[in-house]
Amino acid sequence: MNRIFVTGMGVISAIGNSVAENHHALQESICGVRKELDLFPSKYAGVLPFGQVQISTELLQKKFHITEPGVTRTTMLAVHAFNEAITAARLSAVDLHSCDTALVGASTVGGMCLTDELFNDANKKTNGSVYTSSYDCASVCLYLQKRYHMNGIINTINTACSSSANAIMFGAMLLKNGFAKRAIVGGTDSLAKFTINGFNALHILSPDICTPFDEGRKGLNLGEGAAFLILEKEEDINGKNVYAELSGYCNTNDSYHPSSLSEQGDGPFLSMQGALQAANLLPDQIDFINAHGTGTENNDAVESRAMIRLFGKPPAFASTKGNIGHTLGAAGAIEAVYSIFNLMHQEVYPNLHFINPIASIGLSPVKLFKKMNVKHVMSNSFGFGGNCSSLVFSKV
Amino acid sequence: MTAMLYIHQTHCIQPQQNPLQANIELINEPVDNKLLAFEPSYEQIPPGILRRMSKAIRMGVGAALPLISQPVPVNGIIIGTANAGMDDCVKFLNQIVQYEEGQLTPGSFVQSTGNVIAGQLGLISKNKGYNITHMHLGLAFENALIDAIMQLNTNPSNSYLVGGVDDLSLFNYNIEKLSGDYKEEAISNKDLYNVDSPGCIAGEGAAMFIVNTIKEYAVAKIMAIHTLHSTDVEFVKQQLKIFLQNNVQEGTEIDLFLSGENGDNRTTAYYTACETLLNYNATIVRYKHMIGDYATASAIGLWYACKILQTQQIPAQMIKHNLTKTVHRNILMYNNFEGLQHSFILVSAI
């Protein structure tokens, strides 16, 4: 049968530093996106809204006794979520050292959160900072591997904004194919001058707090955070607490444009359809969709059309980007945790800041917190390079 | 033992115009300790697109297109790269600093993401299937291979493009140089394995493979793969011993060791330790003097393994140790990246 279960999870985002805090904030419709940025000097600090994690880099460093030089905020956020996840799943040091424990991380920013240091090192303006080995996205998992003495398969995936959804998929595949007995999977990204200026140059950063799926949406807000999940096979559960089943997943490519989705959303349509097929479910069995819903003109319209194409009348759906912003490489994993909340607590959280449906489409996301029966949840993640991934989580 | 996957077509772009050159006097020499790729004219890439591509994208797309422009499309694209978008990344970074976060052009930003090669390939070849980029530094290509193995296990009738690509841009050269990865003194290919100093020669390249589960007409098969992180020579040796016990059947033996030795005296001990586990008559072959070293160099290593199995010929200048063996059917590849990331790959003839 090879069923894959989630046996632990950890999350840190703009609305909370733990699973419990994030859950509470979602229930209370808390928006963590604010015109606040004090992590590094930037022209956009105080001007554009961001979903900043409410814990300083110095405090993170202290909390986890990180004394090595060159560890970035991106990595520290990962340590925070990783630590919570392994504690929840009660993984021992022996479990972590085991050749059967895999680690699959994802990041798009990696050490590039240190924009100015990278500028100096890449242009040889100094004799080398302590960060020369920290810039690429593998630096996060390499640090986790060393910190927790891990001996199994270690991987880092980067498919832009769908990265950590693919990390979750890859971890599940490792279990199903006998390459590992348990997999710690997730993603992390921190706010960076690099991504802020990049999305700004593309004119898709909203000057106001983002309004996913709203007719008047003006773009996305960048956020930061990390989430990790522990995946184990059904036969290895041994009475452990099970949060949910990862019942389906699919990765496709939209094959249309490097930074925007095709009008009819072939990539999103195919990834949602593939995930349903993998889960062996019919469209009407999906109770809720945690949409990618970034708040950009392009994404929300295309995702809506793809949902209509597949579902006819789409199930209840909402984007949590209005709570935490777009956390890029961490988004798939953070939203997987939120999707599991839907299943665990039998409730759905509203799509914040939504007022009017997109006129040409007419779809409205969930507007108010409500209790409802949720058996199967789909979570979407789409990224640059046409990378589209959908995951399905089911109640156990 | 059953094969994990079969390799059908291969293509590479690397510093040697003639990768199978037997005469060491005729191979391209490094310039300032850099071995830069000998690039083709990329006729399959539309000129307008080609102009905007960084070298990593160009090499990756250029090495893959001849393989995926076949009548039967592949079902997915699986790329391993450590630095894909690095060049554009720093270009954009320089814009940010130069224009003080003003109005910037997004071109370099869009091309700076690590998944840009797989994304471009999906776009150019209109491939809507599985599309992924593994970026785990010195094991990026190995993780791509593991991915392909798992995809084929799940979908045995499919075929995939799998490959490894990295370029040597000025920026990543500067960063790696500051981390102490490259030799201080200028060195020629001939002397690479004879000098006792830290660091390697910088290199770059792209190698691509079409893989599926069909034995017929295949050029080679992957029998097993194992990766690990360790700085302990004895542990690595122990792991290789277990790998060989688990994967080399009674009555067969490893007859060729394709070594990732790169002239860095900080990693020599690992290669020496692994060599002690082989039969004395196993042939030992090296390739990093021709392509330099970089995170996904083992992809070119696999390309060489395929060529050796296919042609049963080994360019003389690649041989470190050879007694009488003329037929090579089972190749063990060992690669070590920066003394931390290790891979063992068992490649066999059909």
Side-chain angles (χ1 to χ4, degrees):
Chain A
M1 279 299 290
N2 267 338
R3 292 170 76 191
I4 306 293
F5 290 159
V6 178
T7 59
M9 51 192 201
V11 62
I12 182 165
S13 76
I15 55 169
N17 300 343
S18 65
V19 164
E21 284 180 24
N22 273 268
H23 177 226
H24 179 255
L26 288 172
Q27 278 192 320
E28 298 295 321
S29 301
I30 287 170
C31 170
V33 181
R34 300 182 193 102
K35 285 193 178 172
E36 170 195 50
L37 181 69
D38 48 29
L39 298 168
F40 44 83
S42 166
K43 204 176 133 181
Y44 301 103
V47 176
L48 293 175
F50 297 102
Q52 186 176 293
V53 168
Q54 294 303 303
I55 179 168
S56 73
T57 307
E58 292 69 32
L59 208 62
L60 282 166
Q61 200 168 3
K62 234 188 210 158
K63 188 171 172 184
F64 294 100
H65 311 289
I66 294 169
T67 50
E68 308 90 332
V71 181
T72 65
R73 180 174 176 84
T74 311
T75 297
M76 292 182 204
L77 292 173
V79 171
H80 201 292
F82 182 100
N83 207 55
E84 187 184 18
I86 58 171
T87 308
R90 298 196 187 144
L91 295 190
S92 65
V94 175
D95 291 333
L96 291 172
H97 301 174
S98 162
C99 293
D100 289 325
T101 304
L103 167 64
V104 191
S107 184
T108 66
V109 170
M112 282 200 300
C113 53
L114 300 161
T115 307
D116 295 309
E117 290 83 348
L118 173 57
F119 171 78
N120 288 331
D121 285 336
N123 293 292
K124 246 184 161 172
K125 302 227 183 252
T126 60
N127 289 326
S129 73
V130 296
Y131 297 106
T132 51
S133 305
S134 316
Y135 297 123
D136 65 72
C137 50
S139 62
V140 176
C141 283
L142 288 173
Y143 179 76
L144 293 172
Q145 183 277 326
K146 197 165 113 193
R147 183 181 172 102
Y148 297 96
H149 308 288
M150 300 186 72
N151 289 311
I153 288 181
I154 315 284
N155 193 10
T156 304
I157 287 171
N158 182 349
T159 51
C161 303
S162 65
S163 299
S164 51
N166 284 315
I168 294 171
M169 273 183 67
F170 189 81
M173 299 281 293
L174 288 175
L175 300 188
K176 290 195 172 189
N177 286 277
F179 282 103
K181 274 184 85 148
R182 62 189 77 76
I184 306 172
V185 297
T188 181
D189 260 327
S190 58
L191 284 166
K193 216 188 254 190
F194 185 80
T195 38
I196 293 171
N197 281 280
F199 284 98
N200 193 53
L202 285 163
H203 304 290
I204 51 176
L205 282 188
S206 171
D208 308 314
I209 291 176
C210 68
T211 61
F213 295 106
D214 187 83
E215 169 70 12
R217 66 200 181 283
K218 292 177 185 162
L220 59 84
N221 304 136
L222 285 173
E224 62 176 359
F228 277 92
L229 290 83
I230 314 297
L231 304 180
E232 297 188 68
K233 279 201 282 192
E234 186 177 25
E235 64 250 40
D236 298 324
I237 294 299
N238 289 327
K240 269 192 176 183
N241 186 24
V242 171
Y243 292 76
E245 177 183 358
L246 172 60
S247 49
Y249 41 75
C250 185
N251 157 320
T252 63
N253 196 278
D254 194 44
S255 178
Y256 171 73
H257 187 272
S259 62
S260 63
L261 293 167
S262 60
E263 192 75 358
Q264 290 310 310
D266 287 351
F269 171 80
L270 292 168
S271 72
M272 289 191 280
Q273 187 187 50
L276 271 183
Q277 280 165 0
N280 206 5
L281 293 172
L282 295 168
D284 64 4
Q285 287 177 283
I286 295 292
D287 300 298
F288 181 72
I289 299 175
N290 181 309
H292 188 53
T294 56
T296 63
E297 187 70 34
N298 175 252
N299 179 84
D300 296 2
V302 173
E303 188 171 10
S304 297
R305 278 193 287 269
M307 286 193 291
I308 292 169
R309 249 174 100 182
L310 181 63
F311 293 96
K313 184 181 174 297
F317 71 95
S319 160
T320 41
K321 302 279 195 296
N323 300 85
I324 62 169
H326 189 352
T327 56
L328 307 179
I334 294 178
E335 288 161 29
V337 170
Y338 294 173
S339 302
I340 293 170
F341 289 160
N342 298 137
L343 298 165
M344 285 169 68
H345 304 288
Q346 295 290 293
E347 61 194 24
V348 294
Y349 314 108
N351 186 109
L352 301 186
H353 324 301
F354 172 86
I355 302 169
N356 298 309
I358 301 168
S360 59
I361 295 167
L363 284 187
S364 291
V366 171
K367 283 180 261 190
L368 293 168
F369 170 79
K370 65 177 175 191
K371 288 282 180 186
M372 64 177 257
N373 286 329
V374 190
K375 195 156 176 0
H376 305 285
V377 182
M378 179 177 277
S379 178
N380 285 338
S381 298
F382 312 133
F384 280 7
N387 279 122
C388 297
S389 287
S390 298
L391 306 173
V392 177
F393 291 96
S394 302
K395 189 170 164 47
V396 176
Chain B
M1 294 292 294
T2 52
M4 297 183 121
L5 58 75
Y6 290 91
I7 298 171
H8 281 255
Q9 284 138 303
T10 67
H11 194 71
C12 81
I13 293 173
Q14 55 128 302
Q16 300 301 328
Q17 185 177 4
N18 175 8
L20 299 172
Q21 174 60 256
N23 183 350
I24 192 140
E25 302 299 335
L26 295 178
I27 64 174
N28 289 340
E29 282 279 323
V31 176
D32 298 332
N33 281 354
K34 296 176 191 171
L35 274 161
L36 299 178
F38 182 86
E39 294 185 86
S41 56
Y42 299 116
E43 275 152 20
Q44 284 178 288
I45 308 175
I49 299 175
L50 181 63
R51 222 177 313 119
R52 289 194 295 272
M53 286 177 164
S54 72
K55 201 200 249 180
I57 308 175
R58 221 157 59 209
M59 289 194 300
V61 172
L65 281 183
L67 302 187
I68 56 176
S69 317
Q70 306 288 332
V72 185
V74 292
N75 299 86
I77 293 165
I78 304 171
I79 299 296
T81 178
N83 293 313
M86 184 74 187
D87 196 27
D88 283 294
C89 167
V90 179
K91 274 186 196 147
F92 189 66
L93 199 65
N94 291 350
Q95 264 196 66
I96 296 178
V97 177
Q98 191 182 347
Y99 297 103
E100 294 168 344
E101 301 190 75
Q103 285 304 314
L104 312 177
T105 51
S108 294
F109 177 67
V110 173
Q111 299 219 44
S112 75
T113 59
N115 64 332
V116 63
I117 297 168
Q120 283 283 335
L121 281 169
L123 187 60
I124 295 172
S125 66
K126 299 187 172 41
N127 192 311
K128 292 185 179 165
Y130 189 70
N131 187 294
I132 197 161
T133 304
H134 297 274
M135 294 197 74
H136 195 56
L137 201 66
L139 294 173
F141 175 65
E142 284 78 354
N143 274 311
L145 265 185
I146 290 171
D147 196 350
I149 289 163
M150 299 196 298
Q151 291 299 326
L152 288 171
N153 226 355
T154 316
N155 311 290
S157 55
N158 283 359
S159 68
Y160 293 89
L161 173 83
V162 56
V165 192
D166 271 302
D167 70 341
L168 181 60
S169 72
L170 177 64
F171 307 123
N172 64 37
Y173 179 81
N174 287 344
I175 291 171
E176 307 296 326
K177 177 83 187 183
L178 289 170
S179 331
D181 295 342
Y182 303 132
K183 284 199 188 299
E184 288 295 334
E185 72 281 11
I187 192 152
S188 83
N189 328 46
K190 275 168 274 183
D191 300 328
L192 182 66
Y193 306 115
N194 304 323
V195 291
D196 184 14
S197 66
C200 60
I201 302 177
E204 61 179 5
M208 295 283 162
F209 307 88
I210 299 289
V211 300
N212 58 35
T213 59
I214 303 165
K215 186 177 175 181
E216 206 180 7
Y217 303 122
V219 298
K221 56 188 177 186
I222 303 264
M223 300 304 290
I225 179 167
H226 184 68
T227 62
L228 68 143
H229 293 71
S230 177
T231 51
D232 177 350
V233 176
E234 271 312 303
F235 183 72
V236 173
K237 187 178 168 186
Q238 192 59 32
Q239 291 283 306
L240 177 56
K241 205 170 172 182
I242 297 169
F243 176 80
L244 294 173
Q245 276 165 3
N246 290 344
N247 297 299
V248 182
Q249 273 177 308
E250 283 284 320
T252 61
E253 65 175 56
I254 301 296
D255 34 34
L256 191 146
F257 180 62
L258 188 61
S259 167
E261 222 180 305
N262 66 354
D264 185 335
N265 66 359
R266 296 168 298 185
T267 58
T268 314
Y270 296 92
Y271 291 100
T272 313
C274 291
E275 285 177 17
T276 63
L277 294 176
L278 303 165
N279 287 324
Y280 184 65
N281 64 353
T283 304
I284 302 176
V285 171
R286 301 182 286 208
Y287 60 96
K288 298 250 174 95
H289 58 290
M290 293 196 288
I291 67 159
D293 206 4
Y294 57 97
T296 52
S298 55
I300 302 280
L302 182 60
W303 183 88
Y304 275 113
C306 292
K307 282 293 160 206
I308 292 169
L309 293 172
Q310 216 180 340
T311 62
Q312 289 297 324
Q313 283 177 3
I314 307 167
Q317 47 88 12
M318 293 177 70
I319 298 171
K320 177 185 184 183
H321 169 90
N322 185 22
L323 294 175
T324 50
K325 260 192 199 301
T326 50
V327 177
H328 299 95
R329 294 195 57 80
N330 298 302
I331 296 181
L332 170 69
M333 290 176 62
Y334 166 57
N335 194 59
N336 174 321
F337 190 68
E338 295 181 353
L340 173 68
Q341 297 182 292
H342 311 265
S343 65
F344 312 128
I345 306 175
L346 196 53
V347 197
S348 295
I350 301 304

